[in-house]
């Protein structure tokens, strides 16, 4: 999970430079970048698991969110049925609300979602 953790570290570094006022990130653009990077960390963790533990080649890795859902059901649900549900929550929060729509900019909320991404990565490693 080395690469996934590197992405997550990058997300945290991005957030360190964002000005905060009244527990709110003032500049939303880098916050959105941090969410995108955290989401990519999750995808990297899944990819690393699939290549290192399942034996998939780089060419066989998922190419869409639907394909990620399918591999999570196939390879992870046996171990932990909650993984897919956690992925869905993080997809909605990090990718859709945080990155795509830029709706999350409360400092505490951002920290909760970054921490949730970290826990997800640890869980599948």
């Amino acid at each position: 999970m080395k690469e996934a953790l590197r992405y997550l570290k990058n997300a945290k570094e991005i957030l360190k430079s964002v000005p905060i006022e009244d527990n709110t990130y003032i500049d939303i653009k880098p916050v959105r970048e941090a969410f995108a990077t955290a989401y990519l960390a999750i995808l990297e963790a899944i990819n690393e698991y699939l290549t290192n533990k399942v034996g998939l080649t780089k060419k066989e890795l998922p190419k869409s969110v639907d394909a990620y859902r399918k591999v999570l059901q196939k390879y992870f649900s046996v171990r932990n049925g909650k993984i897919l549900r956690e992925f869905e929550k993080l997809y909605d929060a990090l990718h859709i609300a945080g990155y795509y729509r830029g709706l999350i900019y409360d400092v505490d909320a951002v920290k909760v979602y970054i921490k949730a991404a970290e826990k997800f990565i640890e869980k599948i490693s």
Side-chain angles (χ1 to χ4, degrees):
M1 297 299 136
K2 189 175 167 183
E3 192 67 9
L5 293 175
R6 187 171 81 102
Y7 275 70
L8 198 58
K9 183 180 177 189
N10 288 348
K12 291 175 183 178
E13 289 296 319
I14 292 168
L15 291 170
K16 285 181 183 177
S17 66
V18 184
I20 298 170
E21 195 174 290
D22 297 324
N23 206 44
T24 303
Y25 286 109
I26 302 303
D27 187 359
I28 193 69
K29 182 183 178 287
V31 175
R32 291 174 78 174
E33 288 176 30
F35 274 122
T37 305
Y39 176 65
L40 288 173
I42 287 171
L43 299 184
E44 280 298 317
I46 296 168
N47 289 345
E48 288 179 50
Y49 179 90
L50 293 171
T51 55
N52 296 336
K53 303 237 170 119
V54 176
L56 296 183
T57 65
K58 202 169 190 173
K59 203 173 192 177
E60 296 171 311
L61 292 175
K63 308 246 185 307
S64 68
V65 71
D66 287 331
Y68 275 99
R69 288 178 180 120
K70 287 177 184 172
V71 296
L72 287 171
Q73 282 180 314
K74 183 174 182 176
Y75 296 110
F76 292 86
S77 291
V78 173
R79 228 178 55 184
N80 184 345
K82 298 176 185 175
I83 291 287
L84 181 59
R85 187 170 44 240
E86 288 179 46
F87 175 79
E88 290 295 342
K89 286 193 307 189
L90 289 168
Y91 172 76
D92 288 343
L94 298 173
H95 186 66
I96 301 299
Y99 167 65
Y100 187 67
R101 296 201 176 123
L103 298 174
I104 305 171
Y105 42 84
D106 176 84
V107 173
D108 294 334
V110 171
K111 287 180 182 178
V112 164
Y113 286 119
I114 296 295
K115 186 67 178 166
E118 188 172 8
K119 286 180 181 179
F120 182 88
I121 291 167
E122 289 170 2
K123 193 175 283 187
I124 66 168
S125 60

